[in-house]
Amino acid sequence: MSENIIYKEIFKQIEKQPVIDTHEHLLWDESYRVNGEDDVLSEYLSHYLSSDVVSSGLKPVDLEKVRDKKRDIYERWKIVEPYWEASRFTGYGRALDISVKAIYDIDGINGATIRDLNDAFMKSKRPGHYNHVLKELCGIQVSLLDIWTFRLDGDNPLFKRVWQPLNFIIPASSAEGEVISNIEKNYSIRVNNLDHWMEACRKELDYMLATYGVKILKCSIAYSRSLRFEKVEYSVAKDSFNTALAKWEREGRLQGKSLELPIEVQDFMMHYILELANERNLTFQFHTGIQEGNGNILTNSDPSLMINLFTEYPDVDFDLFHISYPYQNVACALGKMFPNVFIDMCWAHIISPSASIRALDDFLDAIPYNKISAFGGDYLFVDGVYGHLYMARQNVSRVLAEKVKQGIFSLDKAVDIGKALFYDNPMRIFKL
Ligand SMILES: [Zn+2]
């Protein structure tokens, strides 16, 4: 059999298999999409391709014009067109063209199709579109939804929610208000010292685990600081916390702005959260590698900065997101060395399809294949998930076909490995 025939056979088999989607940012309640104001351009340019068109030269002020729903859609298309064309063949661009063909039967996003596409898109804003894309078209059994630091009510059979404990490390003001006042209200306590802060953190963690029924945490802190967390003495963290808290209280709780914790308290709290996670045998999803958007400190996200954590917390399963791109070689070595380090290809297939193929080729040569999860859409909007998953299935099939051709394993075994990567492994790694 030629490699192409092997590839097609593997792809056909993998397409029929169920998928666990390890990571999404979709709206947990579809009614927000149904009743929201987005049209196709504002939704599709909410992230990812928006970063590529800006990278290719579109001024941020013009991106805002393109996102402005009040303007005519064709006029907006003409503003973004040269930059979209330059970005069409990146992973982000390709995923969207694949999506609109499958979901709306429209051949590519361009000047000739943009009005028809928008009409079809607006008609899709009804209940059931999520189910249609995620279940019927994609075959996703469940998506792990990153709900950031929020508490959310209600449930959705398409999702399981994953919580970020970030507010206890870098408290941020949010739509829910200032963090400390919120915590004091929720737990009827007054935060006067580090012990209170640690107690609130433990209570909030256990509340989230019980409420959302998952044993998974998520950490996106590499957007804000380095992934190196030093071990800090309790007495040092305690004094530092008290000084920061006293200043914040003196300034009238900073008129609703959140307390900024000094770096040594941040480090201490990360270790404390990992102790709690270690006791509870949790899986901790960590953002590693490239940050979305235009401009950040890439080197903050190098997964080798976390080596002290892997060693110190052996009962925490660390799931390295996004293959740590462009540190995928480092991630590969870490996955090989540490029993509690796992590789997650979420977002990766659209960051760079070819890097994902090369990385998976390497992972399968170096790491036992039960440690790799093949797919997480990582999208804010549901249509993108289809194109991303299609590319993930292509990439995985390509790599497996090449290894069958080399005689490393049989075609049947390749299909088994495909199922492990898309389904069995994430089921086990995330304790679903
Ligand atoms: Zn994400």
Side-chain angles (χ1 to χ4, degrees), residues 143-154:
S143 300
L144 302 182
L145 205 66
D146 182 349
I147 60 162
W148 193 242
T149 59
F150 304 121
R151 288 180 169 209
L152 295 175
D153 295 326

Side-chain angles (χ1 to χ4, degrees), residues 23-25 47-48 146 164 218 220 223 287 292 321-322 346-347 377-379:
H23 179 53
E24 294 293 354
H25 297 279
H47 66 156
Y48 297 159
D146 182 349
Q164 299 216 28
K218 160 82 194 297
S220 62
Y223 277 86
H287 176 101
E292 152 64 359
F321 266 19
H322 321 313
C346 60
W347 191 23
D378 208 354
Y379 266 103

Side-chain angles (χ1 to χ4, degrees), residues 173-420:
S173 299
S174 72
E176 296 182 325
E178 186 275 308
V179 172
I180 296 186
S181 307
N182 254 319
I183 286 166
E184 289 178 335
K185 200 171 68 207
N186 287 340
Y187 293 107
S188 310
I189 54 167
R190 178 88 183 170
V191 174
N192 284 330
N193 58 43
L194 183 61
D195 287 345
H196 295 154
W197 190 237
M198 290 161 69
E199 185 192 334
C201 176
R202 182 175 48 75
K203 284 187 170 163
E204 185 83 344
L205 170 69
D206 285 334
Y207 170 84
M208 290 294 174
L209 296 177
T211 308
Y212 297 144
V214 291
K215 298 195 79 179
I216 314 164
L217 296 176
K218 160 82 194 297
C219 175
S220 62
I221 209 163
Y223 277 86
S224 314
R225 54 154 286 169
S226 158
L227 288 175
R228 176 75 195 177
F229 294 91
E230 302 297 344
K231 189 94 174 147
V232 175
E233 290 285 334
Y234 168 76
S235 59
V236 173
K238 187 178 168 207
D239 289 351
S240 185
F241 183 90
N242 284 347
T243 307
L245 187 72
K247 179 165 177 285
W248 182 74
E249 293 280 13
R250 250 193 339 268
E251 289 168 8
R253 298 201 149 199
L254 276 179
Q255 289 91 40
K257 276 206 228 104
S258 284
L259 166 68
E260 259 184 57
L261 295 178
I263 190 85
E264 60 275 13
V265 181
Q266 294 177 18
D267 288 4
F268 177 86
M269 285 306 295
M270 176 57 89
H271 280 268
Y272 177 62
I273 289 164
L274 282 163
E275 270 172 40
L276 298 174
N278 203 55
E279 286 163 14
R280 289 159 181 72
N281 190 218
L282 305 184
T283 304
F284 213 143
Q285 301 180 321
F286 263 83
H287 176 101
T288 59
I290 188 174
Q291 300 98 344
E292 152 64 359
N294 298 101
N296 203 321
I297 303 169
L298 177 64
T299 45
N300 276 345
S301 69
D302 181 339
S304 65
L305 295 165
M306 296 169 63
I307 287 172
N308 61 328
L309 306 183
F310 304 151
T311 310
E312 183 130 359
Y313 305 101
D315 291 329
V316 176
D317 289 334
F318 290 88
D319 188 57
L320 301 185
F321 266 19
H322 321 313
I323 66 172
S324 308
Y325 176 89
Y327 303 107
Q328 61 268 38
N329 291 340
V330 176
C332 183
L334 295 169
K336 187 173 182 67
M337 292 165 71
F338 291 92
N340 59 337
V341 173
F342 299 82
I343 306 283
D344 197 317
M345 301 194 75
C346 60
W347 191 23
H349 300 279
I350 50 170
I351 294 173
S352 169
S354 59
S356 295
I357 288 174
R358 288 193 300 270
L360 182 60
D361 187 24
D362 188 17
F363 297 157
L364 291 177
D365 277 352
I367 308 174
Y369 72 81
N370 65 347
K371 303 186 74 182
I372 304 159
S373 299
F375 177 72
D378 208 354
Y379 266 103
L380 287 168
F381 57 93
V382 71
D383 287 1
V385 178
Y386 179 87
H388 189 175
L389 178 56
Y390 188 88
M391 290 165 72
R393 284 170 165 150
Q394 283 183 317
N395 292 349
V396 170
S397 303
R398 283 255 170 261
V399 174
L400 293 171
E402 170 63 24
K403 296 201 185 290
V404 171
K405 189 186 134 213
Q406 290 171 9
I408 296 170
F409 41 65
S410 67
L411 196 150
D412 284 351
K413 188 67 197 171
V415 173
D416 285 351
I417 294 173
K419 177 159 177 284

